[in-house]
Amino acid sequence: MVHNINCKSHYTDLIMPLTGILPVLPTPFTESGVDIAAMRRIVRFALDAGVAGVVFPGFASEVEMLTGEERLALLETVSAEVDGRVPVIAGASAATVDDVVAYGRQALALGITQLMIQPPKSIGAGADAVAAFLSASAMQMPDAEFILQNAPAPRGSDLSPEAVLKVVRRVPAVRYVKEETLPAGPAITAILADAPEHLLGVIGGGGARYILDEYDRGACAAMPALEIADLHVALDRNYRAGRGGEARTLYVKSLPLLALQAVYRMRLTKHVLGLRGIIDNPIVRAPTPDLDAMAVRDIERCLQECEVESFGRSNRGSGA
């Protein structure tokens, strides 16, 4: 049986609808800055894996550790390397409307019209305040569509499904919700059960640790980290083709690595991307736990169990 992935078919705008695997791209660093050549390789790896779109910057991109100049240079690199082949979703979260609009306009200038925005915790978790914040942002960017990122506490506002629905009804610019509160599954069910017509879908978060439950409940896409994007794409394609057993086999293979990723975050992502020949160093700016020798052995064993291939230096191409 083909499962119902709930992404509404009435969407007729020129913006491509969001479905499938949409990884949040990590930021490769050098000792002195960001690594633009490695960013190109990261994008090529994602495209070669068959992803349906890419997200940058996001929490997994260490966005809070980037200068404004670094952030823009990396987004320009992502946009140029993707070159229209899949949607690019630009993170535009910020503490003020003015900053959201500034980040959003940078993306719009690059032809990126889908913006992911996490409401700032400073405004609280009330629907009225969140709707006012997003409405004020949307008024200054009428060509943008928003993905409302509902992140769990302590990082996010942890909006209830009822609050999310109130916000979506009041802000037509919100076309998707990225639901990653815990547990996300019941929230996805509640949002989709009463969603207004302009909401095109709900996207799963949580690093794809709950992807099958999210898909069973109607999520149209998932936003994991990048390191096993090829496995996640294979899982997604099997699920959509009605091959639930094959999708579950891949899911079970991924879980030990994803459990460790929940702890070591970007440090694990970069270690694995290094093992796969995509980046040259695992430099992390965000505060994350260090990998000791036993953790490294555990990660590498879990990666072997995922049965993914190395990207390899020979696939780097120009600009490496």
Side-chain angles (χ1 to χ4, degrees):
M1 181 179 70
V2 177
H3 297 276
N4 175 32
I5 303 286
N6 194 342
C7 196
K8 299 179 183 178
S9 60
H10 69 270
Y11 190 48
T12 57
D13 297 340
L14 294 178
I15 300 171
M16 287 186 278
L18 302 177
T19 62
I21 302 301
L22 312 168
V24 182
L25 303 182
T27 298
F29 295 110
T30 66
E31 295 290 350
S32 58
V34 295
D35 190 337
I36 296 297
M39 192 79 233
R40 294 191 189 101
R41 295 197 297 271
I42 283 170
V43 175
R44 289 202 297 270
F45 168 72
L47 295 174
D48 288 348
V51 302
V54 296
V55 183
F56 186 87
F59 179 69
S61 314
E62 302 174 77
V63 61
E64 295 174 348
M65 303 294 123
L66 297 173
T67 68
E69 293 78 9
E70 289 172 336
R71 179 175 178 151
L72 179 55
L74 289 161
L75 185 60
E76 289 172 341
T77 301
V78 171
S79 178
E81 197 67 33
V82 169
D83 195 25
R85 285 173 282 187
V86 297
V88 175
I89 299 135
S93 302
T96 68
V97 169
D98 286 347
D99 285 343
V100 168
V101 171
Y103 290 138
R105 286 176 173 168
Q106 287 179 346
L108 289 165
L110 296 171
I112 300 167
T113 53
Q114 293 167 319
L115 308 177
M116 187 162 69
I117 302 171
Q118 176 181 303
K121 289 189 68 176
S122 60
I123 66 172
D128 290 343
V130 173
F133 185 92
L134 293 176
S135 292
S137 302
M139 285 179 63
Q140 299 184 60
M141 297 183 291
D143 294 330
E145 68 171 24
F146 291 174
I147 297 98
L148 168 59
Q149 182 176 9
N150 187 24
R155 179 168 60 91
S157 300
D158 217 346
L159 302 172
S160 68
E162 295 76 18
V164 168
L165 283 166
K166 287 180 181 178
V167 171
V168 172
R169 291 191 190 105
R170 296 179 191 180
V171 189
V174 177
R175 309 302 295 273
Y176 296 90
V177 171
K178 182 189 180 186
E179 181 55 64
E180 50 185 343
T181 58
L182 296 175
I188 291 171
T189 295
I191 293 167
L192 289 174
D194 201 21
E197 185 68 12
H198 70 267
L199 187 72
L200 300 179
V202 177
I203 298 167
R209 285 178 285 278
Y210 317 105
I211 188 171
L212 291 185
D213 180 52
E214 292 166 349
Y215 276 12
D216 282 346
R217 292 172 181 271
C220 64
M223 287 186 182
L226 180 67
E227 63 271 9
I228 51 171
D230 37 1
L231 184 153
H232 283 138
V233 168
L235 184 161
D236 175 88
R237 290 176 177 173
N238 275 294
Y239 188 96
R240 290 171 189 276
R243 297 187 292 269
E246 290 88 339
R248 188 162 191 86
T249 295
L250 291 167
Y251 176 62
V252 170
K253 285 183 178 181
S254 76
L255 282 178
L257 185 68
L258 296 183
L260 293 172
Q261 204 272 344
V263 175
Y264 295 106
R265 308 297 297 182
M266 308 85 170
R267 203 171 296 277
L268 180 145
T269 293
K270 292 182 179 182
H271 181 76
V272 171
L273 291 176
L275 291 173
R276 302 194 69 184
I278 299 153
I279 63 175
D280 294 320
N281 63 65
I283 295 173
V284 172
R285 287 183 183 174
T288 52
D290 290 329
L291 301 176
D292 63 11
M294 290 186 70
V296 167
R297 286 198 298 271
D298 197 9
I299 290 167
E300 292 178 359
R301 181 167 58 247
C302 293
L303 180 62
Q304 289 175 352
E305 292 168 353
C306 288
E307 297 181 329
V308 292
E309 297 179 359
S310 295
F311 184 60
R313 309 288 176 181
S314 62
N315 291 328
R316 288 186 168 196
S318 61

